[in-house]
Amino acid sequence: MGNHTTVHTFLLWGFSSFPHLQSLLFMVIFFSHVTILAANAAIMVAIRLSPNLHTPMYFLLFGLSFSETCTTLVIIPRMLVDLLSDSKTISLPECATQMLFFFGLGGNNCFILAAMSYDRYTAIHNPLHYPILMTHQICFQLIVASCITGFLISLCIITIVFNLSFCDSYIIQHFFCDISPVVHLACDYAFHHEMIIFVLSAFVLVGSLVLIMVSYVFIASIVMKMSSTTGRYKAFSTCSSHLIVVSIHYGFACFVYLRSKGSDTFREDMLMAVTYTVLTPLLNPIVYSLRNQEMRIALKKVLDNCSRFIFQMANKR
């Protein structure tokens, strides 16, 4: 190790390369974050208060919305503070905690999406036994299993990353503690570390994506055998929202985490990270609300009740 100085604090360089855009970025990301919280909260309240949405599909959607809300809370508030602050330092334990929760919740999202594809397959393949095969208890077990698996894999990655020695360089070329910009600061980061992290990341992303693709191969084969055009359309329409969300989620995540890295890719990865930390959680509730009539009706009732409550409170004052 020579005369290296051990690093205990990092500097999140993030958007410091764009000093004149930081105020604009703060406004855009702040309003996006408020919209994300409001949209996901509206979906969760609508599912909770609407008896016709007390089905396995919406139970899993509730879990996904809650998980994505937590994911944004791990990253965006800190990002907003750093955009307005001159001091962008983060301690090593804080960095490890942020990475643990971000990748744990990210893995949870992936496995919940896989569970949702299995739910759609079960509903189309065996509609008569669907209430028995997909009970609320089974849905809850799938969500718990997704969470445990996601956090166990995240813990393995964190253990590898933060057992490395960080010396001399302390500037993270990102707005949060992502894997690649952190491990490239380590002075003993080796090929076998990179391969283990790659395999664990691939297990989450590729493993869950394979489960989703297998489910949809079976769904497509079942739907194509249907004689009724109306039946085909109805079957595909129940899956369309999920397919759009899967395409957005995995498209960005696989591009960032399953390709070779270099110091020259950090800025590109950082800009891409804005999409899956801000844009994806913003699009998901929009997709599910716009393409689902039951959800639109439930959300309209929730908004009407909120408006009525606010109006009554205003009149009392």
Side-chain angles (χ1 to χ4, degrees), residues 1 8 12 24 26 44 55 75 77 99 101 120 125 137 153 166 193-194 216 224 227 237 252 256 268 273 275 279:
M1 295 293 291
H8 297 288
L12 290 171
L24 176 62
F26 176 86
M44 288 187 283
T55 62
I75 301 298
M99 191 183 291
F101 279 95
R120 292 297 83 209
H125 173 66
Q137 183 179 359
I153 294 170
F166 298 96
H193 295 128
E194 183 177 2
Y216 275 105
M224 295 307 293
S227 56
S237 64
F252 292 129
V256 173
E268 186 179 341
T275 59
L279 186 61

Side-chain angles (χ1 to χ4, degrees), residues 1 6-7 10 92 96 99 154-167 182-183 185-190 192-193 196-197:
M1 295 293 291
T6 303
V7 173
F10 294 116
L92 195 144
M99 191 183 291
S154 179
L155 185 61
C156 292
I157 293 174
I158 300 307
T159 303
I160 294 168
V161 171
F162 290 94
N163 272 329
L164 299 170
S165 298
F166 298 96
C167 38
V182 172
V183 296
L185 300 180
C187 43
D188 56 348
Y189 182 56
H192 68 275
H193 295 128
I196 294 171
I197 292 172

Side-chain angles (χ1 to χ4, degrees), residues 231-301:
R232 289 182 185 178
Y233 175 78
K234 185 177 180 181
F236 276 126
S237 64
T238 61
C239 303
S240 60
S241 300
H242 182 254
L243 277 171
I244 293 170
V245 169
V246 165
S247 301
I248 295 170
H249 179 87
Y250 284 93
F252 292 129
C254 289
F255 178 80
V256 173
Y257 293 106
L258 297 183
R259 65 190 179 103
S260 59
K261 303 292 183 182
S263 58
D264 58 331
T265 65
F266 289 156
R267 177 173 290 194
E268 186 179 341
D269 286 351
M270 184 180 69
L271 295 175
M272 186 62 67
V274 176
T275 59
Y276 66 78
T277 55
V278 179
L279 186 61
T280 302
L282 181 63
L283 288 176
N284 289 355
I286 294 173
V287 169
Y288 273 107
S289 58
L290 290 180
R291 297 187 62 85
N292 191 303
Q293 187 176 0
E294 289 180 324
M295 181 59 71
R296 287 200 302 270
I297 294 171
L299 286 172
K300 187 176 183 301
K301 288 181 179 178

Side-chain angles (χ1 to χ4, degrees), residues 86-307:
D86 293 329
S87 174
K88 306 178 192 298
T89 58
I90 184 170
S91 69
L92 195 144
E94 288 174 335
C95 187
T97 302
Q98 187 185 57
M99 191 183 291
L100 172 69
F101 279 95
F102 178 73
F103 288 102
L105 290 166
N108 182 41
N109 294 343
C110 290
F111 291 119
I112 288 179
L113 286 170
M116 292 174 78
S117 68
Y118 172 72
D119 169 74
R120 292 297 83 209
Y121 164 72
T122 306
I124 294 171
H125 173 66
N126 207 341
L128 295 178
H129 293 91
Y130 176 69
I132 301 172
L133 296 173
M134 288 297 293
T135 62
H136 283 289
Q137 183 179 359
I138 291 173
C139 290
F140 180 74
Q141 290 171 350
L142 287 171
I143 290 175
V144 171
S146 299
C147 186
I148 291 172
T149 306
F151 273 93
L152 281 177
I153 294 170
S154 179
L155 185 61
C156 292
I157 293 174
I158 300 307
T159 303
I160 294 168
V161 171
F162 290 94
N163 272 329
L164 299 170
S165 298
F166 298 96
C167 38
D168 294 343
S169 182
Y170 65 97
I171 299 175
I172 298 176
Q173 300 288 341
H174 215 301
F175 56 81
F176 74 97
C177 289
D178 204 356
I179 296 174
S180 293
V182 172
V183 296
H184 278 82
L185 300 180
C187 43
D188 56 348
Y189 182 56
F191 177 74
H192 68 275
H193 295 128
E194 183 177 2
M195 287 308 300
I196 294 171
I197 292 172
F198 177 83
V199 169
L200 290 171
S201 301
F203 176 79
V204 174
L205 290 172
V206 179
S208 57
L209 183 58
V210 166
L211 291 174
I212 292 170
M213 292 176 67
V214 168
S215 297
Y216 275 105
V217 167
F218 284 115
I219 288 172
S221 65
I222 294 168
V223 171
M224 295 307 293
K225 292 176 184 177
M226 292 180 178
S227 56
S228 169
T229 306
T230 305
R232 289 182 185 178
Y233 175 78
K234 185 177 180 181
F236 276 126
S237 64
T238 61
C239 303
S240 60
S241 300
H242 182 254
L243 277 171
I244 293 170
V245 169
V246 165
S247 301
I248 295 170
H249 179 87
Y250 284 93
F252 292 129
C254 289
F255 178 80
V256 173
Y257 293 106
L258 297 183
R259 65 190 179 103
S260 59
K261 303 292 183 182
S263 58
D264 58 331
T265 65
F266 289 156
R267 177 173 290 194
E268 186 179 341
D269 286 351
M270 184 180 69
L271 295 175
M272 186 62 67
V274 176
T275 59
Y276 66 78
T277 55
V278 179
L279 186 61
T280 302
L282 181 63
L283 288 176
N284 289 355
I286 294 173
V287 169
Y288 273 107
S289 58
L290 290 180
R291 297 187 62 85
N292 191 303
Q293 187 176 0
E294 289 180 324
M295 181 59 71
R296 287 200 302 270
I297 294 171
L299 286 172
K300 187 176 183 301
K301 288 181 179 178
V302 169
L303 293 174
D304 289 343
N305 289 334
C306 288
S307 301

